[in-house]
Amino acid sequence: MDARSNENLILGIESSCDETAAAVVVDGHRVLSSVVSSQIDIHRKYGGVVPELASREHLRKIVPVVREALDQAKITLAEIDAVAVTQGPGLTGALLVGMTYGKVLALALGKPLIAVNHLEGHVHAVLLEAHATGRHPKLPAVCLIVSGGHTVLYDVKTQSANGSNPTVAKFSYARIGGTRDDAAGEAYDKVARMLALGYPGGPVLDQLAQHGNPKAIRFGEPKMKGNIYDFSFSGIKTAMLYHLRRHPELQPEIDARQAALARGERSADALRTLSSSATLDLVASFQRAVVDDLTTRTLAAAEHQNARTILVSGGVAANRELRSTFEAEAARRSIDVYFPSRALSTDNAAMIAAAGYPRYIAGDFADAMLNAEPNLALA
Ligand code: KG4
Ligand code: ZN
């Protein structure tokens, strides 16, 4: 008998933004393969994702990426038990590529098709890694999804539990708050653009921030009426713009970094040698302000919801200061905090396959009429 006969292999497909990804995950927690083809090099010169270029690249990459995921998992298509695809939210044209391919694949193989919300995928990215190492986050949890496209807080509860197997639990979500303007990752990317620190901005700003004084410049907290769990990052972006206007002496180094970027010198180390202590202080202060805002509101939401756990996911979850601040503050409050690894923080398909697993067990399948939902909500 096939050793895998009791296992459920789900092929996940993700193409909602600028990553073409495919993965094979066993029983919602054991990753056999996770292949991600990033389009960063294509979008870099525009300083952001260009939807038309994204769709075209997904079309070029979807077949080889799925094939690579199967090869790395050492399985054939016939061994797949179901195909899970991202239905939304995301860019319509981009979503359509992965979804249509997954749909046709499921149909041709006679296997179930599972529609996954990309945001639920991010929640499962954290759970997947925890489950894989034998840890089972206690619910209710508050989940902060913080990326280039999203900054949103959800209350996560168990809808149906299975004591012996937490990976098949289905969850219910309630939106607690979210950004009213830019996503946090978007603010990182825009500030990096103003300072000529490359694209995407997060990883480089994160590294440079380690070398500056986070108390040098006060950006102030966003002033907002209404929901105290909402975020706003457009104010800090404007404050940065005004700061640069008031400090024209920073322009020559910005020009020098721009020239370095044009030569392909994009590493944080290379850009740091072209950055004065005033710039490093500026970056450290920006990061401190963003991290303070994200952690303060999330911790307050967790206390308000009586959450036992905080889950943090999305590209910005890779930020080292965000992680260390959450870890220190959560420990003080006796709340558990979980992050995915760097690889699972950014968009990937393992999280889509993992999110599809409880639906597979519940027989919650999509049909051939499934359509992409660019504004699909989680709650
Ligand atoms: O999740 P992701 O790959 O794609 C989206 O769905 O947006 O996130 C990418 C975002 C970018 O804005 C990038 O600048 C940011 O995550 N990012 C970071 C870090 N690494 C990536 N932001 C802050 N610190 C980081 N270390
Ligand atoms: Zn994402």
Side-chain angles (χ1 to χ4, degrees), residues 11 18 33 41 60 67 101 119 140 161 163 179 197 204 206 211 220 238 243 263-264 292 350 355 360 376:
L11 170 68
D18 61 338
S33 65
D41 288 337
R60 269 165 36 87
R67 191 173 298 147
Y101 187 71
L119 296 168
T179 185
L197 287 170
V204 170
D206 189 9
H211 304 281
T238 312
H243 182 92
R263 291 193 299 272
D292 269 350
Y360 174 78
L376 187 65

Side-chain angles (χ1 to χ4, degrees), residues 19 118 122 147-149 185-186 188-189 200-203 206 314-316 318-319 345-347:
E19 265 98 21
H118 180 83
H122 275 300
S147 70
E186 198 178 352
Y188 266 95
D189 294 340
D206 189 9
V316 184
N319 188 278
S345 297
T346 52
D347 287 351

Side-chain angles (χ1 to χ4, degrees), residues 66-123:
V66 169
R67 191 173 298 147
E68 179 69 25
L70 295 169
D71 285 353
Q72 284 188 17
K74 299 192 174 52
I75 58 158
T76 61
L77 271 178
E79 291 174 82
I80 292 292
D81 292 297
V83 181
V85 294
T86 304
Q87 185 189 10
L91 303 168
T92 312
L95 285 165
L96 274 172
V97 176
M99 220 192 60
T100 309
Y101 187 71
K103 208 192 284 193
V104 171
L105 208 54
L107 221 64
L109 295 169
K111 299 288 164 70
L113 175 72
I114 303 163
V116 173
N117 183 310
H118 180 83
L119 296 168
E120 183 163 31
H122 275 300
V123 176

Side-chain angles (χ1 to χ4, degrees), residues 1 32 43 131 136 141 168 181 214 218 264 272 286 307:
M1 204 160 122
L32 293 189
H43 301 291
H131 291 154
H136 304 296
V168 304
D181 38 61
R218 256 197 68 78
R272 192 182 139 202
F286 164 78

